[in-house]
């Protein structure tokens, strides 16, 4: 079972061609229709038949996040260099927790962390680690924020003050930590210092674990007033965590950098390369201004770990994990292969496509832009549609494999949301999606309930 038989090598070359060709065959998505998958048996069916089942039955039912019309949630379009590195990493059976085992793999990841720290504008001593996702990055940062501090009542502080648009993972992290979340501001607008000050003035700063601000809210792309927020935190001695899981990539765009002013003052930052930095799942970075605090909070000790040199720089020490995939290697490999200029261009392309989409929405009589696009998120209304109409249109496009676009809520109204993180998404892809929303679109069903007098407000 552990040997590569001669005939199994054929599978490897088939896999290589499949990887190279699948972009051009992305139209063969068959979402949700599961063929008869082979079962687990005592005898097994061999590598050939198993790979064939994966290729032909299993994988086509998943809507790939790098499909040019995957515009829901936050997708992700890995580069070939990152894909190759990711595959090799699995094959090489690398344990990415410590320098002892991973050797220069840790150095490669450190280069990728360094690049991200530079992008944020962090100083030399900053550091971080790649974890499974923004959720674990946020949790790890908040645990570091709480480390070694005490509330006036004794025991650790238990309040997390979060921007109104904070990602759901902040509440999840708070629940794990036994903390409560105090929300500041609205889910639809960026948080400013005035609103935050009001909230902080109602609390004892010594009860506060951290303030969590957004640099690219997932739903709207909004960036909080980071510099002013950093001032509020600084005077009160409160840890500032900036969640840039989705939006951080836009720091690369010269035209947008200014909106992030102050991010370099945060005590910790989350950026997900598996979203808008072209890396396969799963890969998120948690970055720390002072990594020694994170290390003190997270380093695990055990008798069998004593061989791990204390002065080594071990990725295991900087987040809530021990064993880990060296998931920064695909980031490093793609940066080395493509150069950082290609990243700037790719992010700018996504922003330009979002701009194109917003213009097209404005130009169409049946569509209304509900907010100026922020970063690469476009929110808009289809006139006359109720929530049920959005849901049916979305489900139909998904079932056909033509697009994955899902509704959301903005200002209490159900609207459509497009999020552009794939530079291979073209204006023609945008047109195709928008055309299918036109009243006379050939594939459009009749709305469930017609409300000719309804201006388009959903419920
Ligand atoms: C996606 C996202 C997260 C969660 O990241 P996962 O990788 O899905 O765990 C956290 N914060 C923001 C702002 C996000 O967009």
């Amino acid at each position: 079972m552990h040997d590569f038989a001669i005939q199994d090598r054929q599978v490897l070359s088939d896999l290589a061609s499949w990887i190279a060709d699948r972009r051009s065959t992305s139209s063969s998505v068959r979402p949700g229709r599961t063929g008869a998958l082979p079962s687990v048996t005592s005898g097994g069916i061999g590598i050939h038949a198993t790979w064939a089942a994966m290729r032909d039955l299993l994988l086509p039912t998943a809507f790939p996040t790098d499909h040019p019309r995957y515009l829901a949630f936050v997708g992700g379009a890995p580069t070939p260099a990152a894909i190759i590195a990711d595959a090799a990493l699995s094959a090489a059976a690398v344990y990415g927790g410590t320098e002892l085992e991973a050797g220069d793999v840790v150095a490669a990841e450190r280069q990728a962390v360094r690049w991200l720290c530079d992008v944020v504008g962090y100083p030399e001593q900053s550091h971080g680690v790649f974890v499974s996702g923004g959720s674990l990055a946020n949790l790890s940062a908040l645990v570091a924020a709480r480390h070694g501090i005490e509330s006036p009542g004794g025991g650790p502080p238990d309040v997390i003050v979060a921007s109104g648009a904070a990602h759901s993972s902040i509440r999840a992290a708070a629940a794990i930590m036994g903390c409560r979340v105090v929300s500041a501001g609205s889910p639809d607008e960026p948080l400013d210092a005035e609103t935050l000050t009001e909230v902080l003035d109602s609390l004892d700063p010594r009860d506060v674990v951290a303030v969590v601000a957004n640099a690219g809210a997932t739903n709207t792309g909004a960036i909080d007033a980071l510099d002013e927020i950093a001032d509020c935190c600084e005077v009160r001695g409160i840890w500032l965590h900036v969640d840039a899981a989705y939006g951080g990539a836009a720091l690369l765009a010269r035209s947008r950098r200014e909106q992030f002013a102050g991010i370099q003052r945060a005590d910790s930052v989350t950026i997900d390369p598996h979203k808008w930095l072209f890396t396969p799942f799963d890969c998120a970075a948690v970055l720390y201004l002072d990594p020694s605090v994170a290390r003190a909070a997270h380093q695990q000790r055990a008798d069998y770990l004593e061989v791990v040199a204390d002065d080594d720089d071990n990725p295991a020490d900087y987040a809530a994990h021990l064993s880990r995939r060296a998931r920064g290697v695909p980031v490093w490999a793609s940066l080395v292969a493509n150069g950082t200029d290609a990243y700037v261009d790719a992010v700018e392309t996504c922003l330009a496509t979002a701009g194109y989409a917003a213009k097209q929405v404005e130009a169409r009589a049946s569509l209304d832009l509900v907010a100026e696009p922020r970063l690469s998120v476009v929110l808009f209304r289809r006139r006359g549609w109720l929530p049920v109409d959005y849901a049916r249109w979305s489900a139909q496009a998904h079932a056909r494999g033509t697009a994955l676009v899902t509704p959301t809520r903005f200002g209490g109204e159900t609207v459509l949301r497009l999020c552009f993180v794939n530079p291979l998404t073209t204006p023609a892809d945008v047109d195709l999606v928008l055309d299918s929303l036109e009243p006379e679109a050939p594939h459009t069903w009749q709305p469930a309930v017609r409300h000719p007098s309804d201006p388009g407000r959903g419920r």
Side-chain angles (χ1 to χ4, degrees), residues 62-97:
F63 205 108
T65 60
D66 62 355
H67 187 294
R69 291 183 299 280
Y70 184 117
L71 302 172
F73 316 112
V74 184
T79 63
I83 290 166
I84 289 167
D86 196 63
L89 197 60
S90 289
V94 174
Y95 173 87

Side-chain angles (χ1 to χ4, degrees), residues 74 132-138 165-170 214-219 243-247 270 272 274-275 281-284 417:
V74 184
S132 62
S135 302
L136 196 72
N138 287 339
H167 187 266
S168 50
S169 59
I170 300 301
N214 279 314
T218 318
N219 198 41
D243 186 356
Y246 148 65
T270 293
D272 282 12
H274 68 202
K275 283 183 169 165
F281 294 107
D282 46 18
C283 185
R417 173 178 171 281

